[in-house]
Amino acid sequence: MRRLPPVLLEDGCPRELISLIRTILAACKEISFRVGQGALSGVLGSTLDENIQGETQKKLDVLTNQLLKDILLESGYVKAIASEEEDYTVAGNPDASYIVAFDPLDGSSNTDINSLVGTIFSIMRAPENSDAADERIFMQPGKNQVAAGYVLYGPSTVLALTTGKGTRFFTLDKTHGTFLLTEDFAKVPEETSEFAINASNQRHWQPAMQNYINDLLAGETGPRARNFNMRWIAAMVGDVHRVLCRGGLFTYPTDTKDPNKPNKLRLLYEANPMAMLIEQAGGIASTGTERIMDIQPDAIHQRVAVILGSKNEVETCLNYHK
Ligand code: F6P
Ligand code: MN
């Protein structure tokens, strides 16, 4: 098993980018420890606050955001950050080359039940001569990402990382505090018989998704002529990790449950980094009508529909949307 920096150096990854990734991982090791302490660390449960998106903040949302924010801004490697838990972008070193968008603790409702949570991050270059305080530096499509990843805090702590040369898994050796390479070329199987969707929203989906899921549920006597299995972890990071490991289709589609919020997942720090990891492992990530990484963002907390995973199954689902 190899340590992380040589692997990235061999890929020709710039040293400054490696240092930035290592900085993020330093915070994630601390988060892994805190999450692992559970009730012992006194950080379970909610705060009395809401974030700008109207979601109740968990104590761990606030803590993990602060950890990442402090370490990134102090490092000097970032020009600015955007976080799920920050209303606005935060300026860093005006001379730095990179910007980072992150979800400090995805699936945070799972913390109180000792289930899967993770940190998701997306790294892009800041435009030349840009102003660190100008949030428009984040208005770039996901195809501009130079690196993307997540750290999943599960029975083991796993990093999924891409710098554009495939998707790799690293496992945190908690005795030595080192991420070791444990899967060099993650590959999403093209075929699958497994899907992930919050089925409680079924009546609110658009007809295309209604029809697609109905056909999956019809099983071997339906038009798909085989049975499908369903899984839902309620943390995108957990569901995407399963898809990267053994294939599947994950979707959080557009729905009409709340007319002010037709989509749930955020483009900059959820959909884009997951889309890059999935595409780098041979899968597809789409909104139903366009490639996620082609979307030109116009707001840092913008939400999008997400359909991602095994190539053939996502294509089948997209055919229902034509
Ligand atoms: O961050 C949003 C998120 O928690 C995702 O991680 C997850 O996939 C989804 O929302 C869960 O949604 P629901 O609460 O509808 O199950
Ligand atoms: Mn999230």
Side-chain angles (χ1 to χ4, degrees):
M1 279 182 278
R2 288 182 293 165
R3 292 160 66 94
L4 183 140
V7 174
L8 298 182
L9 262 184
E10 284 158 19
D11 283 350
C13 194
R15 281 181 190 274
E16 198 185 336
L17 179 57
I18 297 175
S19 300
L20 170 54
I21 293 169
R22 288 172 63 94
T23 303
I24 294 172
L25 297 182
C28 292
K29 286 181 206 172
E30 169 89 23
I31 295 171
S32 173
F33 177 74
R34 301 283 187 113
V35 169
Q37 289 285 90
L40 298 178
S41 59
V43 291
L44 301 187
S46 300
T47 65
L48 297 174
D49 297 327
E50 279 187 353
N51 62 20
I52 199 171
Q53 306 169 61
E55 293 164 347
T56 309
Q57 283 181 308
K58 294 279 179 188
K59 287 183 193 163
L60 270 169
D61 285 324
V62 177
L63 181 95
T64 55
N65 181 56
Q66 197 66 47
L67 275 169
L68 277 157
K69 181 178 163 184
D70 288 349
I71 201 167
L72 281 170
L73 295 179
E74 280 165 13
S75 73
Y77 294 125
V78 284
K79 188 157 198 163
I81 58 160
S83 163
E84 176 178 333
E85 305 302 337
E86 297 285 334
D87 298 355
Y88 308 103
T89 60
V90 185
N93 174 5
D95 300 322
S97 312
Y98 297 105
I99 55 176
V100 180
F102 59 87
D103 178 352
L105 201 65
D106 179 59
S108 55
S109 66
N110 277 352
T111 51
D112 296 343
I113 58 163
N114 196 25
S115 190
L116 293 182
V117 288
T119 299
I120 310 173
F121 57 91
S122 158
I123 305 177
M124 291 194 279
R125 283 192 168 276
E128 295 282 323
N129 303 320
S130 54
D131 175 359
D134 184 348
E135 79 172 32
R136 284 175 300 181
I137 61 180
F138 283 90
M139 300 304 117
Q140 304 183 44
K143 62 188 170 200
N144 287 7
Q145 291 172 110
V146 293
Y150 60 75
V151 176
L152 174 68
Y153 312 109
S156 57
T157 293
V158 174
L159 161 70
L161 180 67
T162 178
T163 56
K165 304 253 168 71
T167 292
R168 290 174 168 131
F169 295 150
F170 300 80
T171 304
L172 179 61
D173 174 352
K174 293 185 183 173
T175 333
H176 302 102
T178 317
F179 280 97
L180 297 174
L181 180 67
T182 41
E183 173 85 61
D184 212 351
F185 294 102
K187 176 95 182 85
V188 183
E190 292 187 356
E191 294 289 347
T192 184
S193 294
E194 197 163 69
F195 66 103
I197 192 166
N198 182 343
S200 69
N201 295 325
Q202 174 156 24
R203 67 193 181 284
H204 305 294
W205 299 333
Q206 295 173 330
M209 193 52 83
Q210 298 265 4
N211 295 336
Y212 169 68
I213 298 291
N214 279 340
D215 287 353
L216 300 187
L217 295 177
E220 58 192 5
T221 55
R224 298 298 302 277
R226 67 180 202 269
N227 294 327
F228 283 79
N229 184 36
M230 198 187 88
R231 288 285 183 270
W232 188 249
I233 292 174
M236 184 189 200
V237 70
D239 281 310
V240 170
H241 189 64
R242 186 188 57 256
V243 169
L244 279 170
C245 289
R246 70 176 188 209
L249 179 141
F250 165 86
T251 179
Y252 212 112
T254 301
D255 65 43
T256 54
K257 194 157 92 178
D258 174 353
N260 298 316
K261 209 175 81 179
N263 298 306
K264 176 146 193 191
L265 299 176
R266 275 58 56 102
L267 176 62
L268 263 57
Y269 42 80
E270 292 178 321
N272 270 341
M274 293 312 202
M276 184 173 181
L277 289 162
I278 288 285
E279 285 196 9
Q280 286 291 319
I284 298 181
S286 168
T287 63
T289 50
E290 71 176 311
R291 180 184 179 224
I292 283 174
M293 288 202 288
D294 283 340
I295 300 171
Q296 173 61 47
D298 52 30
I300 54 168
H301 298 295
Q302 176 172 343
R303 296 171 188 265
V304 285
V306 172
I307 305 169
L308 60 77
S310 294
K311 183 172 174 291
N312 295 347
E313 195 53 40
V314 174
E315 279 172 353
T316 302
C317 178
L318 297 183
N319 282 336
Y320 285 71
H321 289 76
K322 281 184 182 150

